[in-house]
Coordinates of all heavy atoms in Angstrom, one line a residue:
D1066 N -9.7 -4.5 7.5 CA -10.8 -5.3 7.5 C -11.9 -4.8 8.4 O -13.0 -5.3 8.6 CB -10.5 -6.8 8.0 CG -9.6 -7.5 7.0 OD1 -9.6 -7.1 5.8 OD2 -8.9 -8.5 7.4
G1067 N -11.6 -3.6 9.0 CA -12.6 -3.0 9.9 C -13.2 -1.7 9.3 O -13.3 -1.6 8.0
E1068 N -13.7 -0.9 10.2 CA -14.6 0.3 9.7 C -13.8 1.2 8.8 O -14.2 1.8 7.9 CB -15.0 1.0 11.0 CG -15.9 2.3 10.7 CD -16.3 2.9 12.0 OE1 -16.3 2.3 13.1 OE2 -16.6 4.2 11.9
I1069 N -12.5 1.5 9.2 CA -11.7 2.5 8.5 C -11.4 1.9 7.0 O -11.5 2.7 6.1 CB -10.4 2.8 9.2 CG1 -10.6 3.4 10.5 CG2 -9.5 3.6 8.3 CD1 -9.4 3.6 11.4
G1070 N -11.1 0.7 6.9 CA -10.8 0.1 5.6 C -12.0 0.2 4.7 O -11.9 0.6 3.6
R1071 N -13.2 -0.2 5.2 CA -14.5 -0.1 4.4 C -14.7 1.4 4.0 O -15.1 1.7 2.9 CB -15.6 -0.7 5.1 CG -16.9 -0.8 4.4 CD -16.8 -1.9 3.3 NE -16.7 -1.3 1.9 CZ -16.4 -2.1 0.9 NH1 -16.2 -3.4 1.0 NH2 -16.3 -1.5 -0.3
E1072 N -14.6 2.2 4.9 CA -14.8 3.7 4.7 C -13.9 4.2 3.6 O -14.4 4.9 2.7 CB -14.6 4.4 6.0 CG -14.9 6.0 6.0 CD -14.6 6.7 7.3 OE1 -14.9 6.0 8.3 OE2 -14.0 7.7 7.3
L1073 N -12.7 3.9 3.6 CA -11.7 4.2 2.5 C -12.2 3.7 1.1 O -12.2 4.4 0.1 CB -10.4 3.9 2.8 CG -9.7 4.7 4.0 CD1 -8.4 4.1 4.5 CD2 -9.5 6.1 3.6
L1074 N -12.5 2.4 1.1 CA -12.9 1.8 -0.1 C -14.2 2.6 -0.7 O -14.4 2.8 -1.9 CB -13.3 0.4 0.1 CG -12.1 -0.6 0.4 CD1 -12.6 -2.1 0.4 CD2 -11.1 -0.5 -0.9
D1075 N -15.1 2.9 0.3 CA -16.3 3.6 -0.2 C -16.1 5.0 -0.9 O -16.9 5.4 -1.7 CB -17.3 3.7 1.0 CG -17.9 2.4 1.4 OD1 -17.8 1.5 0.6 OD2 -18.5 2.3 2.5
T1076 N -14.9 5.6 -0.5 CA -14.6 6.9 -1.1 C -14.3 6.8 -2.6 O -14.4 7.8 -3.3 CB -13.4 7.5 -0.4 OG1 -12.2 6.8 -0.7 CG2 -13.6 7.7 1.0
L1077 N -14.0 5.6 -3.1 CA -13.7 5.4 -4.5 C -15.0 5.5 -5.4 O -15.0 5.6 -6.6 CB -13.1 4.0 -4.7 CG -11.7 3.8 -4.1 CD1 -11.3 2.3 -4.2 CD2 -10.7 4.6 -4.8
E1078 N -16.2 5.3 -4.8 CA -17.4 5.3 -5.6 C -17.7 6.7 -6.2 O -18.3 6.7 -7.3 CB -18.6 4.9 -4.7 CG -18.5 3.5 -4.2 CD -19.7 3.0 -3.3 OE1 -20.8 3.7 -3.5 OE2 -19.5 2.1 -2.6
D1079 N -17.1 7.8 -5.7 CA -17.3 9.1 -6.3 C -16.5 9.2 -7.6 O -16.9 10.0 -8.4 CB -16.8 10.2 -5.4 CG -17.7 10.4 -4.2 OD1 -18.9 10.1 -4.3 OD2 -17.2 10.9 -3.1
S1080 N -15.6 8.2 -7.8 CA -14.8 8.2 -9.1 C -15.3 7.1 -9.9 O -14.5 6.6 -10.9 CB -13.3 8.0 -8.7 OG -12.8 9.1 -8.0
G1081 N -16.4 6.4 -9.7 CA -17.0 5.3 -10.5 C -16.3 4.1 -10.3 O -16.3 3.1 -11.2
L1082 N -15.6 3.9 -9.1 CA -15.0 2.6 -8.8 C -15.7 2.0 -7.6 O -16.1 2.7 -6.7 CB -13.5 2.8 -8.5 CG -12.7 3.5 -9.7 CD1 -11.3 3.9 -9.2 CD2 -12.5 2.4 -10.9
K1083 N -15.6 0.6 -7.5 CA -16.1 -0.1 -6.3 C -15.0 -1.0 -5.8 O -14.6 -1.9 -6.4 CB -17.3 -1.0 -6.7 CG -17.9 -1.8 -5.6 CD -18.5 -0.9 -4.5 CE -19.2 -1.7 -3.5 NZ -19.8 -0.7 -2.4
G1084 N -14.5 -0.5 -4.6 CA -13.5 -1.5 -4.0 C -14.2 -2.5 -3.2 O -15.1 -2.3 -2.4
L1085 N -13.8 -3.8 -3.5 CA -14.5 -5.0 -3.0 C -13.7 -5.5 -1.6 O -14.4 -5.8 -0.7 CB -14.5 -6.1 -4.0 CG -15.3 -5.8 -5.3 CD1 -15.3 -7.1 -6.1 CD2 -16.7 -5.3 -5.0
A1086 N -12.4 -5.5 -1.8 CA -11.6 -6.1 -0.6 C -10.2 -5.8 -0.8 O -9.7 -5.6 -1.9 CB -11.9 -7.5 -0.4
Y1087 N -9.4 -5.8 0.3 CA -8.0 -5.6 0.3 C -7.3 -7.0 0.3 O -7.1 -7.7 1.3 CB -7.5 -4.8 1.6 CG -8.1 -3.5 1.8 CD1 -9.3 -3.3 2.5 CD2 -7.4 -2.4 1.2 CE1 -9.7 -2.0 2.7 CE2 -7.9 -1.1 1.3 CZ -9.1 -0.9 2.1 OH -9.5 0.4 2.3
A1088 N -6.8 -7.3 -0.9 CA -5.7 -8.4 -1.0 C -4.5 -7.8 -0.5 O -4.4 -6.6 -0.1 CB -5.7 -9.0 -2.3
E1089 N -3.3 -8.5 -0.8 CA -2.0 -8.1 -0.3 C -1.0 -8.0 -1.3 O -0.8 -8.9 -2.0 CB -1.6 -9.1 0.9 CG -0.3 -8.7 1.6 CD -0.2 -9.5 2.9 OE1 -0.6 -9.0 3.9 OE2 0.4 -10.5 2.7
R1090 N -0.4 -6.8 -1.3 CA 1.0 -6.8 -2.1 C 2.0 -7.0 -1.0 O 3.0 -7.7 -1.3 CB 1.1 -5.4 -2.7 CG 2.4 -5.2 -3.4 CD 2.9 -6.4 -4.1 NE 2.5 -6.5 -5.6 CZ 2.4 -7.7 -6.2 NH1 2.6 -8.7 -5.5 NH2 1.9 -7.7 -7.4
G1091 N 1.9 -6.5 0.2 CA 2.8 -6.8 1.3 C 3.7 -5.6 1.7 O 3.6 -4.5 1.0
F1092 N 4.6 -5.9 2.6 CA 5.6 -4.8 3.0 C 6.6 -4.7 1.9 O 7.2 -5.6 1.4 CB 6.1 -5.2 4.4 CG 5.4 -4.8 5.5 CD1 4.6 -5.7 6.2 CD2 5.3 -3.5 6.0 CE1 3.8 -5.4 7.3 CE2 4.4 -3.2 7.1 CZ 3.7 -4.1 7.8
R1093 N 6.8 -3.4 1.6 CA 7.7 -3.1 0.5 C 9.2 -2.9 1.1 O 9.3 -2.3 2.1 CB 7.2 -1.8 -0.2 CG 5.8 -2.0 -0.7 CD 5.3 -0.6 -1.4 NE 5.9 -0.6 -2.7 CZ 5.4 -1.1 -3.9 NH1 4.2 -1.8 -3.8 NH2 5.9 -1.0 -5.0
N1094 N 10.1 -3.4 0.2 CA 11.5 -3.3 0.6 C 12.4 -2.8 -0.6 O 11.9 -2.9 -1.7 CB 12.0 -4.7 1.0 CG 11.2 -5.3 2.2 OD1 11.2 -4.9 3.3 ND2 10.3 -6.3 1.8
L1095 N 13.4 -2.3 -0.3 CA 14.4 -1.8 -1.3 C 15.3 -2.7 -1.9 O 15.8 -3.6 -1.3 CB 15.2 -0.6 -0.7 CG 14.4 0.7 -0.3 CD1 15.3 1.5 0.8 CD2 14.2 1.6 -1.5
T1096 N 15.5 -2.6 -3.2 CA 16.6 -3.3 -3.9 C 17.3 -2.4 -4.7 O 16.9 -1.3 -5.2 CB 16.1 -4.4 -4.8 OG1 15.5 -3.9 -6.0 CG2 15.1 -5.4 -4.2
N1097 N 18.7 -2.6 -5.0 CA 19.5 -1.8 -5.8 C 20.6 -2.5 -6.4 O 21.0 -3.7 -5.9 CB 19.9 -0.5 -5.1 CG 21.1 -0.7 -4.2 OD1 22.3 -0.5 -4.7 ND2 20.9 -1.2 -3.0
S1098 N 21.3 -2.0 -7.3 CA 22.4 -2.7 -8.0 C 23.8 -2.0 -7.6 O 24.8 -2.5 -8.1 CB 22.2 -2.5 -9.6 OG 22.2 -1.2 -9.9
K1099 N 23.8 -1.1 -6.7 CA 25.0 -0.3 -6.4 C 25.7 -0.8 -5.1 O 26.9 -1.0 -5.1 CB 24.6 1.1 -6.3 CG 24.1 1.7 -7.6 CD 25.1 1.6 -8.8 CE 24.6 2.3 -10.1 NZ 25.5 2.1 -11.2
K1100 N 25.0 -0.8 -4.0 CA 25.6 -1.0 -2.7 C 24.6 -1.4 -1.6 O 23.4 -1.2 -1.8 CB 26.3 0.3 -2.3 CG 25.3 1.5 -2.0 CD 26.0 2.8 -1.7 CE 25.0 3.9 -1.5 NZ 25.7 5.2 -1.0
P1101 N 25.1 -1.9 -0.5 CA 24.2 -2.3 0.6 C 23.6 -1.0 1.2 O 24.4 0.1 1.4 CB 25.1 -3.0 1.7 CG 26.3 -3.3 0.9 CD 26.5 -2.3 -0.2
I1102 N 22.3 -1.0 1.5 CA 21.6 0.2 2.2 C 21.3 -0.3 3.6 O 20.4 -1.0 3.8 CB 20.4 0.5 1.3 CG1 20.7 0.9 0.0 CG2 19.7 1.8 2.1 CD1 21.6 2.1 -0.3
E1103 N 22.0 0.4 4.6 CA 21.7 0.1 5.9 C 21.1 1.2 6.7 O 20.5 1.0 7.7 CB 23.0 -0.3 6.6 CG 23.6 -1.6 6.0 CD 24.7 -2.2 6.8 OE1 24.8 -1.9 8.0 OE2 25.4 -3.1 6.2
T1104 N 21.3 2.5 6.2 CA 20.6 3.6 6.8 C 20.0 4.5 5.7 O 20.3 4.3 4.6 CB 21.7 4.5 7.5 OG1 22.5 5.1 6.6 CG2 22.5 3.6 8.5
A1105 N 19.2 5.4 6.2 CA 18.5 6.3 5.2 C 19.5 7.1 4.5 O 19.4 7.4 3.2 CB 17.5 7.2 5.9
A1106 N 20.6 7.5 5.1 CA 21.7 8.3 4.4 C 22.3 7.5 3.3 O 22.7 8.2 2.3 CB 22.8 8.7 5.4
D1107 N 22.3 6.3 3.3 CA 22.9 5.5 2.2 C 22.2 5.6 0.9 O 22.6 5.3 -0.1 CB 22.9 4.0 2.6 CG 23.9 3.7 3.8 OD1 24.8 4.5 4.0 OD2 23.6 2.7 4.5

């Protein structure tokens, strides 16, 4: 919501896009069908 965010959105204009605002998808987490994942090695 600050200077960096607006600056990044403005870079899209060179590609014919206008970024209006950042809504949220949120923090991404892992799911799987095989086993519990507790470390990166898993």
Side-chain angles (χ1 to χ4, degrees):
D1066 294 341
E1068 179 183 339
I1069 295 174
R1071 185 72 254 170
E1072 184 179 317
L1073 289 169
L1074 289 180
D1075 288 346
T1076 65
L1077 295 171
E1078 294 184 23
D1079 290 338
S1080 295
L1082 302 169
K1083 180 67 180 180
L1085 301 182
Y1087 297 95
E1089 183 168 270
R1090 177 41 89 208
F1092 277 99
R1093 304 180 77 88
N1094 303 289
L1095 288 158
T1096 71
N1097 81 93
S1098 61
K1099 300 297 184 183
K1100 61 180 181 179
I1102 302 297
E1103 298 192 15
T1104 70
D1107 294 333

